Amino acid sequence: MIVIMKKDATPSQLTNVVACIEQMGCQAHVSRGEERTLIGVIGNGRPFDHEKIEQMDGVEKTMPVLRPFKRASREFHPQNTLVTIGDVVVGGNEIVLIAGPCAVESRDQMLGIAEAAKEQGAHMLRGGAFKPRTSPYSFQGLGEEGLRILAEAREKTGLPVVTEVMQPELVPLVTSYADVLQIGARNMQNFALLHAVGKAQCPVLLKRGMMSTVEELLMAAEYILSHGNSRLILCERGIRTFETYTRNTLDINAVPLLKQLTHLPVVVDPSHGTGKWELVQPVSLAAIAAGADGLIVEVHTHPDQALSDGGQSLKPETFGNLVASLRRVAQAVGRTA
Amino acid sequence: MIVIMKKDATPSQLTNVVACIEQMGCQAHVSRGEERTLIGVIGNGRPFDHEKIEQMDGVEKTMPVLRPFKRASREFHPQNTLVTIGDVVVGGNEIVLIAGPCAVESRDQMLGIAEAAKEQGAHMLRGGAFKPRTSPYSFQGLGEEGLRILAEAREKTGLPVVTEVMQPELVPLVTSYADVLQIGARNMQNFALLHAVGKAQCPVLLKRGMMSTVEELLMAAEYILSHGNSRLILCERGIRTFETYTRNTLDINAVPLLKQLTHLPVVVDPSHGTGKWELVQPVSLAAIAAGADGLIVEVHTHPDQALSDGGQSLKPETFGNLVASLRRVAQAVGRTA
Amino acid sequence: MIVIMKKDATPSQLTNVVACIEQMGCQAHVSRGEERTLIGVIGNGRPFDHEKIEQMDGVEKTMPVLRPFKRASREFHPQNTLVTIGDVVVGGNEIVLIAGPCAVESRDQMLGIAEAAKEQGAHMLRGGAFKPRTSPYSFQGLGEEGLRILAEAREKTGLPVVTEVMQPELVPLVTSYADVLQIGARNMQNFALLHAVGKAQCPVLLKRGMMSTVEELLMAAEYILSHGNSRLILCERGIRTFETYTRNTLDINAVPLLKQLTHLPVVVDPSHGTGKWELVQPVSLAAIAAGADGLIVEVHTHPDQALSDGGQSLKPETFGNLVASLRRVAQAVGRTA
Amino acid sequence: MIVIMKKDATPSQLTNVVACIEQMGCQAHVSRGEERTLIGVIGNGRPFDHEKIEQMDGVEKTMPVLRPFKRASREFHPQNTLVTIGDVVVGGNEIVLIAGPCAVESRDQMLGIAEAAKEQGAHMLRGGAFKPRTSPYSFQGLGEEGLRILAEAREKTGLPVVTEVMQPELVPLVTSYADVLQIGARNMQNFALLHAVGKAQCPVLLKRGMMSTVEELLMAAEYILSHGNSRLILCERGIRTFETYTRNTLDINAVPLLKQLTHLPVVVDPSHGTGKWELVQPVSLAAIAAGADGLIVEVHTHPDQALSDGGQSLKPETFGNLVASLRRVAQAVGRTA
């Protein structure tokens, strides 16, 4: 932490700030310049209450030196974290492909898509039983019935299942059916939910909020890690920008940036990241080329009958083409798929 | 709804789309142009499943004609909604001032601020007992103890209390202490929570998400209204943009826009909207000049000791100055304060 | 400037950085912490080449302490700058109203609007002779003929004229007709143009780019000031955000922020800032309440026949209503209009 | 174009709008619905003045059906455009690599980098002689002396040269030295400059503005094409978002989207797109995987001595590593490099 004093700060204001820093158990190194006096706060590695200092008379502003996340940081934990789900390892050399519909709509739909996705190369299944929808008048998901269908799809295909949980009190229920709990973009800062999944005995896939910074994503990860759950996968799914041709702007920079800042696995959702099925394949290949550990892709046997997100879903055969291209790109960057 | 066919759509694709629209109980008016064929979908006033149509072969895109919210719209409900809380009426001619600390930190702090805020002209109190914090290492609020302190502050001052609820299962607890339930910006699309407060017998103050459009705010309002609670106040509190000098960019356009689109009262939070106490007064005056029905302002007797948001809190006497200026501006636009 | 060394920086890397800082004529104050070593760079008041340091081995990042603008800053020049144009003073106690059409379309149109705007209380006229248009197929302005019409409108009304200049080589021509040169939002970082108007003997109205931060606006101002022209007015006209109901998001925070950071007058363009004529009045009042020194408003006698921006133009009588309300708000904040 | 009438529009208002549409030489197809009446405007393929209609009494809004660009669209020109510069073809099967420093700083610097870049696999050179800089106090480029050095670098290496032109009146001068004229991001909507390079006998590389939509980029392209220059290359270089860890957010979606919407070649600038040299390689590979036709990369032999953008420049050997990886990824997607 660095404290910058105002141009006209008085000596006694400086003395007070230094005293306050020292009361917090830190050291204060004062540098007097012609235009400003700076104080380097040297300390204890603990998160420091910069707001308190910022309020003191004579202080212009404070600037953090260290990043505010710790358990999520690669500095703290240099090796890649591997998250193992049955036979699947996320974060290792092999690219992991998670595929399935936006929402579980019926037993036939889900089982059909699950078989088709497996056949085309998927390693895990996705499908929403509880759906966050902008409109109260849209389909809200099948609820527990959807979870039962997902469990049946897992039984039939042998593929583990990722599904969203939207409320802390439903974590036990969803955990009893799912292999991975998904935290959706709108809930990335639902701290009660982060707390609940942090206590769960189940891996978590945490999606970046559509208007959250990479740092906020890592702080959300820090919540889960600090409550004891280290089986955590991060997911870049596009951010909200001024561009309107696409549903979101997939932040490709975030992929290598996250791999540098954190030890956690990073997967990419090209379906929400673009919102247009025609863009899913090129953007998926881009994600792998940029270093992503996997993809979570919307696949539907009948996109034109999907109750949600049909416009960004791939048909199974298109997904199959994606997998074939993706294997070549994975190999080109020293990965397998 | 308008459907735009692709340039090269075949006659049979057009026939299929028309058939599908008619199966939904709507009428299809086809306009053949040189470059594109359009279909005007005329119907039933019900929300229409545009995604289904958008997936059909030969369709380029669909465009909505009507706004997707109904109960929240002024078209549906032309008169202003008045939300009455004890003696306070929000949405009427009088500007309502809600003041208090970001977080309840202690009994002394809260009671001191409450008395001071009342003395300077506040009509209601604010204060967080449950705090959403980006970092798991930051102060998370006093919980139920905080609620008890807020209730005591109400008793001493006679001012109603607004406080945030972050989890559906805590709605009954918070309702038992508070006069208004606040939904924070990060929870604007926490649909389970919207459902829960929609069922509550308590007014709600719904903050716009920092990443949410005005339309999404109104859709979130629609959730609450459609679950039966019409005692709803909207709050503009700044959106996230590329500008970094200020914490958020207060969307002043949203104030008259909301007053035009909806019958619900609109208050403004200049503290989060700017993040800097020096900007709170001018932006508060701007909000009133633009037609806001009230303000929710962070006030603290010792901002430099605040456990959160000290940098954007006013001291009581500064708040008093704001109230004095605000009364003049309110009068200039035909309101009282 | 503060330099933060990497966690694993070696002593010789530190020595090199210190040496480099000293070669630049600055002093280096080293603070060794447990996690990082910091260097406070104390110096000469000159802009410092942080990129050079940031490239050196062992350096993690650098952080500026001082703002990068100087001539534009209130720290450097505490008194308000007053820009005098004929009888009009911008930046004083009186609110200045600039009104007129987006584009000069014909002699009759411009003279009619000019007379009507004057009658309703305008102090200056606006009107584009050279128009920046997104599409090459849109009306591009009347060019010099438009300038001549503007000059005639000034003669008839006695009101000074603001008009846009888009190219450095046209600065002499536009200066020969106009009283104030407008730099449009798209040209805020057209540095050759900033240079040219910085050399001109004519006041300048500099619009904030729709993609520009407040700091970048002040750096653009710095270009003009550093080339010798200090008759400069800044204009907030809305920024681009994710919100699509309005054309831009007027950054009301920027008004008091600019008044705090700089001595230059600040006017607001509510027409481009909202893009909807129904929002122009409330947002105009907000701007004045927030401390703006004036407004630049699109007014057209026949908005439905305007060749551009009709949808955000006020009719003269609506402008008159705005002026009446505005006078009350101006008085409420201690200004006249 | 579709016109949506207000709910309470009168029959005579509808008649007037239809008459106005027909006066413009178009046909009006009226669809009367329960909630709204729509008018499909069927026409002449000419750009239509929607603002005029939008101003008419009884009109709620208008919605475009066709995209506003024509010469730039793939619909108008289905085959890929190939831009040939000496031996280099941009837009064909081979990935084109443009490398060099941000700015030409000296003869030795430029010639050294040019030789090193060629050795590592570059096909063309980049280097700025005229530099747009946010601060008037930063290095502004060597001007014509820089152009002479670039020409010498071309002579020595045989590689064509891309360099920025910032002012219309300098187009002839820059054309006399350069092989490709670059329009920088800040000038994407400098229409006078677009006009000037549209008239030039020289290929153009047009960078997307940092806060410009894909549609605006294509409209800027339309300016150049409509003035007669069809040797045009588009460049995605990152957009401005709320994320601050990276300098810009590279819009990877824009790559396949542009390839779909337009026939023009698309190159990517990973240096500005990320602002951090460590991210340049993964993001470059992503760009190629997504379908880009080439890269423009900042390479510097001594990034720590660069006068600008050192932090995002690769050393020649790092660029060489990038080229090696890129060849594998290019091959994986059926391209050569």
Side-chain angles (χ1 to χ4, degrees), chain D residues 16-93:
Chain D
N16 287 344
V17 174
V18 168
C20 181
I21 290 167
E22 292 174 347
Q23 277 166 21
M24 288 169 168
C26 303
Q27 297 168 37
H29 288 216
V30 176
S31 303
R32 279 185 188 77
E34 283 172 36
E35 307 242 7
R36 290 287 187 285
T37 294
L38 311 180
I39 312 173
V41 180
I42 302 298
N44 43 16
R46 281 183 300 116
F48 181 82
D49 189 353
H50 69 97
E51 287 184 349
K52 183 166 185 168
I53 297 292
E54 214 152 68
Q55 287 321 300
M56 294 185 75
D57 289 337
V59 173
E60 182 164 310
K61 59 177 170 176
T62 65
M63 297 194 291
V65 172
L66 296 178
R67 301 209 161 95
F69 46 89
K70 186 154 192 178
R71 287 181 175 82
S73 77
R74 198 177 271 285
E75 200 168 308
F76 175 81
H77 182 306
Q79 292 81 18
N80 282 341
T81 285
L82 305 184
V83 177
T84 302
I85 305 138
D87 295 341
V88 179
V89 179
V90 187
N93 196 59

Side-chain angles (χ1 to χ4, degrees), chain A residues 47 49 51-57 68-71 131-138 140 166-169 185-187 189-192 209-213 215-216 219-220 222-223 226-227 240 247 277 303-313 315, chain B residues 47 49 51-57 68-71 131-138 140 166-169 186-187 189-193 210-213 215-216 219-220 222-223 226-227 240-241 247 277 303-313 315:
Chain A
D49 189 353
E51 288 183 349
K52 182 165 184 169
I53 297 292
E54 215 153 68
Q55 286 321 301
M56 294 186 73
D57 289 336
F69 47 88
K70 186 155 191 175
R71 286 180 176 83
K131 297 299 305 170
R133 300 302 300 271
T134 305
S135 168
Y137 310 122
S138 299
Q140 311 272 324
M166 289 169 60
Q167 292 174 252
E169 65 271 30
R186 286 179 180 77
N187 280 319
Q189 292 194 322
N190 183 334
F191 301 114
M210 78 178 86
M211 214 150 171
S212 299
T213 62
E215 185 168 300
E216 287 167 340
M219 292 307 291
E222 195 82 4
Y223 260 93
S226 71
H227 285 104
R240 180 167 275 186
R247 180 171 175 174
W277 72 264
D304 56 347
Q305 295 168 18
L307 296 182
S308 61
D309 282 356
Q312 65 193 36
S313 296
K315 293 186 184 173
Chain B
D49 190 353
E51 287 183 349
K52 183 165 185 168
I53 297 292
E54 215 153 66
Q55 287 321 301
M56 295 186 74
D57 289 335
F69 47 89
K70 187 155 190 175
R71 285 180 176 82
K131 298 299 305 170
R133 300 302 301 271
T134 306
S135 167
Y137 310 123
S138 298
Q140 310 272 325
M166 290 169 59
Q167 293 174 253
E169 65 272 29
R186 288 179 180 77
N187 280 319
Q189 293 194 320
N190 182 335
F191 300 114
L193 185 59
M210 79 178 87
M211 57 181 93
S212 299
T213 62
E215 183 167 303
E216 287 167 341
M219 292 307 291
E222 194 82 4
Y223 261 93
S226 71
H227 285 102
R240 181 167 273 187
T241 68
R247 181 170 175 175
W277 74 264
D304 56 347
Q305 295 168 19
L307 295 181
S308 61
D309 283 355
Q312 65 193 36
S313 297
K315 293 187 185 171

Side-chain angles (χ1 to χ4, degrees), chain A residues 281 285 325 328-329 332, chain D residues 92-95 288-289 291-293 326-337:
Chain A
Q281 173 160 336
L285 302 183
S325 302
R328 290 191 296 272
V329 172
Chain D
N93 196 59
E94 189 172 9
I95 303 299
I288 298 310
D293 297 306
L326 187 146
R327 284 184 178 138
R328 290 192 296 272
V329 172
Q331 204 180 2
V333 294
R335 306 284 288 261
T336 57

Side-chain angles (χ1 to χ4, degrees), chain C residues 15-319:
Chain C
T15 307
N16 287 343
V17 173
V18 169
C20 181
I21 290 166
E22 292 174 348
Q23 276 167 22
M24 287 169 169
C26 303
Q27 297 169 36
H29 288 217
V30 177
S31 303
R32 279 183 187 79
E34 284 172 35
E35 307 243 6
R36 290 287 187 286
T37 293
L38 312 180
I39 311 174
V41 179
I42 302 299
N44 41 16
R46 281 184 298 118
F48 182 81
D49 189 353
H50 69 97
E51 288 184 348
K52 183 166 185 169
I53 297 292
E54 214 153 68
Q55 287 321 301
M56 295 186 73
D57 289 336
V59 172
E60 182 165 310
K61 60 177 169 175
T62 65
M63 297 193 289
V65 172
L66 296 178
R67 301 211 160 94
F69 47 88
K70 187 156 189 174
R71 285 181 177 81
S73 77
R74 200 176 271 283
E75 200 169 308
F76 175 80
H77 182 306
Q79 292 80 16
N80 282 343
T81 285
L82 304 184
V83 177
T84 302
I85 305 137
D87 294 342
V88 179
V89 179
V90 187
N93 195 60
E94 189 172 10
I95 304 298
V96 173
L97 300 172
I98 309 168
C102 176
V104 181
E105 297 164 13
S106 71
R107 185 173 173 276
D108 282 1
Q109 171 247 20
M110 186 67 216
L111 297 186
I113 294 172
E115 294 286 2
K118 182 185 183 180
E119 199 180 327
Q120 301 292 350
H123 304 105
M124 295 178 72
L125 297 176
R126 59 153 293 156
F130 298 95
K131 297 299 306 170
R133 300 302 301 271
T134 305
S135 166
Y137 310 122
S138 299
F139 174 61
Q140 311 271 324
L142 295 181
E144 189 170 357
E145 171 63 13
L147 296 175
R148 272 192 292 268
I149 294 170
L150 284 167
E152 191 180 344
R154 172 182 47 207
E155 247 173 84
K156 290 222 188 284
T157 59
L159 302 186
V161 158
V162 183
T163 198
E164 181 163 355
V165 58
M166 290 169 60
Q167 293 173 253
E169 66 271 31
L170 292 180
V171 169
L173 176 74
V174 180
T175 304
S176 72
Y177 290 100
D179 301 289
V180 179
L181 301 174
Q182 178 179 313
I183 303 293
R186 289 180 178 76
N187 280 319
M188 194 201 85
Q189 292 194 322
N190 182 335
F191 300 114
L193 185 59
L194 298 180
H195 184 124
V197 301
K199 294 286 187 197
Q201 303 299 317
C202 188
V204 175
L205 187 147
L206 175 65
K207 289 191 140 187
R208 180 180 180 184
M210 78 176 88
M211 58 181 92
S212 299
T213 62
V214 162
E215 183 167 304
E216 288 167 340
L217 171 60
L218 289 168
M219 292 307 289
E222 195 81 4
Y223 261 92
I224 296 171
L225 297 171
S226 71
H227 285 102
N229 192 345
S230 59
R231 300 173 69 196
L232 181 54
I233 303 163
L234 305 180
C235 179
E236 161 61 34
R237 47 77 74 205
I239 57 174
R240 180 167 272 186
T241 68
F242 60 84
E243 177 60 69
T244 54
Y245 260 63
T246 46
R247 180 170 175 177
N248 290 290
T249 298
L250 191 111
D251 183 1
I252 194 76
N253 293 353
V255 176
L257 182 61
L258 282 168
K259 293 301 291 180
Q260 177 186 313
L261 293 174
T262 184
H263 50 92
L264 297 167
V266 176
V267 304
V268 166
D269 176 347
S271 306
H272 288 87
T274 63
K276 291 182 187 286
W277 72 265
E278 313 96 281
L279 303 182
V280 167
Q281 172 159 338
V283 168
S284 294
L285 301 183
I288 298 310
D293 296 306
L295 298 175
I296 178 164
V297 183
E298 290 190 358
V299 171
H300 200 291
T301 40
H302 299 283
D304 57 347
Q305 294 169 19
L307 296 181
S308 61
D309 283 355
Q312 65 193 36
S313 296
L314 298 184
K315 293 187 185 170
E317 52 272 37
T318 317
F319 175 63

Side-chain angles (χ1 to χ4, degrees), chain B residues 178-194:
Chain B
D179 299 289
V180 180
L181 302 174
Q182 178 179 313
I183 303 293
R186 288 179 180 77
N187 280 319
M188 194 202 85
Q189 293 194 320
N190 182 335
F191 300 114
L193 185 59
L194 298 180

Side-chain angles (χ1 to χ4, degrees), chain A residues 82-334:
Chain A
L82 304 184
V83 177
T84 303
I85 304 138
D87 295 341
V88 179
V89 179
V90 187
N93 195 60
E94 190 173 9
I95 302 300
V96 173
L97 300 172
I98 309 169
C102 176
V104 181
E105 297 164 13
S106 71
R107 185 173 173 278
D108 283 1
Q109 171 247 21
M110 186 66 217
L111 297 185
I113 294 172
E115 294 287 1
K118 182 185 183 181
E119 199 179 326
Q120 302 292 351
H123 304 107
M124 295 178 71
L125 298 176
R126 59 153 292 157
F130 298 96
K131 297 299 305 170
R133 300 302 300 271
T134 305
S135 168
Y137 310 122
S138 299
F139 174 61
Q140 311 272 324
L142 295 180
E144 190 170 357
E145 172 62 13
L147 295 175
R148 273 193 292 268
I149 293 170
L150 284 168
E152 191 179 344
R154 172 181 50 207
E155 247 175 82
K156 291 226 188 282
T157 59
L159 302 186
V161 158
V162 184
T163 198
E164 180 164 354
V165 58
M166 289 169 60
Q167 292 174 252
E169 65 271 30
L170 292 180
V171 170
L173 176 73
V174 180
T175 304
S176 72
Y177 289 100
D179 300 289
V180 179
L181 301 174
Q182 177 179 314
I183 303 293
R186 286 179 180 77
N187 280 319
M188 194 201 86
Q189 292 194 322
N190 183 334
F191 301 114
L193 185 59
L194 298 180
H195 184 126
V197 301
K199 294 285 188 198
Q201 302 300 316
C202 189
V204 175
L205 187 146
L206 174 66
K207 289 191 141 189
R208 180 180 180 183
M210 78 178 86
M211 214 150 171
S212 299
T213 62
V214 162
E215 185 168 300
E216 287 167 340
L217 172 61
L218 290 168
M219 292 307 291
E222 195 82 4
Y223 260 93
I224 296 171
L225 296 172
S226 71
H227 285 104
N229 192 345
S230 58
R231 299 172 69 197
L232 180 54
I233 302 162
L234 304 181
C235 179
E236 161 60 35
R237 47 77 74 204
I239 57 174
R240 180 167 275 186
T241 67
F242 60 85
E243 178 59 68
T244 54
Y245 260 61
T246 47
R247 180 171 175 174
N248 290 291
T249 298
L250 192 111
D251 183 1
I252 194 76
N253 292 353
V255 176
L257 182 62
L258 282 168
K259 295 301 292 178
Q260 177 187 314
L261 293 174
T262 184
H263 50 91
L264 297 167
V266 176
V267 303
V268 166
D269 176 348
S271 306
H272 287 87
T274 64
K276 291 182 185 288
W277 72 264
E278 313 96 282
L279 304 182
V280 168
Q281 173 160 336
V283 168
S284 293
L285 302 183
I288 299 310
D293 296 306
L295 298 176
I296 178 163
V297 183
E298 290 190 358
V299 172
H300 200 290
T301 39
H302 298 283
D304 56 347
Q305 295 168 18
L307 296 182
S308 61
D309 282 356
Q312 65 193 36
S313 296
L314 298 185
K315 293 186 184 173
E317 51 274 36
T318 317
F319 176 63
N321 293 340
L322 162 58
V323 174
S325 302
L326 188 145
R327 283 182 179 140
R328 290 191 296 272
V329 172
Q331 204 179 1
V333 293

